[in-house]
Amino acid sequence: MKRIEWDQYFMAQSFLLSLRSTCTRLMVGATIVRDKRIIAGGYNGSIAGGDHCIDKGCYVIDNHCQRTIHAEMNAIIQCAKFGVPTEGAEIYVTHFPCLQCSKAIIQAGIKVIHYAEDYKNSLYAIELFEQAGVKTAKVPFQANILDLRLQEKQSFVDHLLQQLKNNVSQEEFNKYKETADKLFTRNT
């Protein structure tokens, strides 16, 4: 059995955190890591005890939801609340940070940003990262690593495909195979 790579491990944590998001526009998760240890996590949602987008709708001004606190800010605030230093840490985020979160990440002393998906990447944020010596790295997330029964499912689908192969046209079989390959992100 092959162990999960560190970048995928921490990005998986961020995607799991994003499932707690209460924003209906975009689900984002963030994990702060220092010395290969998770020190904080956050997701975009409302203030503790406040109204949530899933309940009251997004409160949008200038194309930004005012009701939510971004995942990165929630993770940084969690560190501040519990006295955990972020100097020299890394952050794993499901989406490229917005400009305001980028500034907070720099001010928190975080030195590396790993993100899975581009999202309105601000050229000014990129410039600020360069000025501050903060590295950014795109880490495409392999979502199937979260499926603990992936191999079992792949074997089952492969078995079904073999059963179908002699009972449908080649064109129809190719469509099924293509769909299976997309589901399991196989390049065979």
Side-chain angles (χ1 to χ4, degrees):
M1 181 175 96
K2 185 180 173 193
R3 290 173 67 184
I4 187 173
E5 300 290 330
W6 284 114
D7 282 347
Q8 291 297 310
Y9 173 74
F10 295 126
M11 196 59 77
Q13 178 68 31
S14 294
F15 273 93
L16 284 172
L17 283 162
S18 76
L19 297 176
R20 291 282 307 153
S21 173
T22 59
C23 184
T24 57
R25 298 178 77 216
L26 185 66
M27 297 170 70
V28 179
T31 304
I32 300 177
V33 174
R34 192 177 55 242
D35 300 325
K36 300 285 188 234
R37 300 290 181 261
I38 296 170
I39 61 173
Y43 53 87
N44 56 332
S46 299
I47 61 166
D51 293 331
H52 294 277
C53 298
I54 57 174
D55 299 323
K56 301 279 185 170
C58 291
Y59 178 46
V60 179
I61 298 175
D62 294 331
N63 204 29
H64 287 12
C65 182
Q66 304 300 305
R67 197 178 301 284
T68 60
I69 300 170
H70 291 187
E72 303 91 327
M73 293 298 290
N74 267 327
I76 291 168
I77 291 166
Q78 185 180 63
C79 285
K81 185 175 183 178
F82 294 106
V84 179
T86 54
E87 184 68 36
E90 300 179 29
I91 190 167
Y92 287 78
V93 190
T94 57
H95 297 76
F96 191 88
C98 73
L99 179 58
Q100 296 307 316
C101 287
S102 296
K103 292 177 191 178
I105 288 167
I106 291 166
Q107 290 301 95
I110 294 171
K111 294 299 179 193
V112 182
I113 300 166
H114 306 270
Y115 65 98
E117 298 177 25
D118 291 306
Y119 183 74
K120 301 180 181 179
N121 300 24
S122 165
L123 294 177
Y124 186 54
I126 293 167
E127 182 183 326
L128 291 176
F129 291 145
E130 289 171 1
Q131 286 176 16
V134 174
K135 296 177 186 171
T136 60
K138 187 170 184 177
V139 178
F141 180 58
Q142 301 163 7
N144 61 7
I145 65 171
L146 293 176
D147 188 344
L148 301 178
R149 298 181 73 188
L150 179 65
Q151 290 179 338
E152 182 182 350
K153 291 175 184 178
Q154 283 179 323
S155 294
F156 179 70
V157 169
D158 287 343
H159 175 75
L160 288 177
L161 285 171
Q162 288 307 311
Q163 297 295 313
L164 275 174
K165 190 170 190 172
N166 297 325
N167 297 311
V168 298
S169 70
Q170 186 64 42
E171 183 179 329
E172 192 173 0
F173 174 77
N174 289 343
K175 287 181 184 178
Y176 288 131
K177 177 109 173 63
E178 184 179 317
T179 300
D181 289 345
K182 285 180 184 175
L183 284 172
F184 296 113
T185 59
R186 301 184 286 205
N187 294 321
T188 58

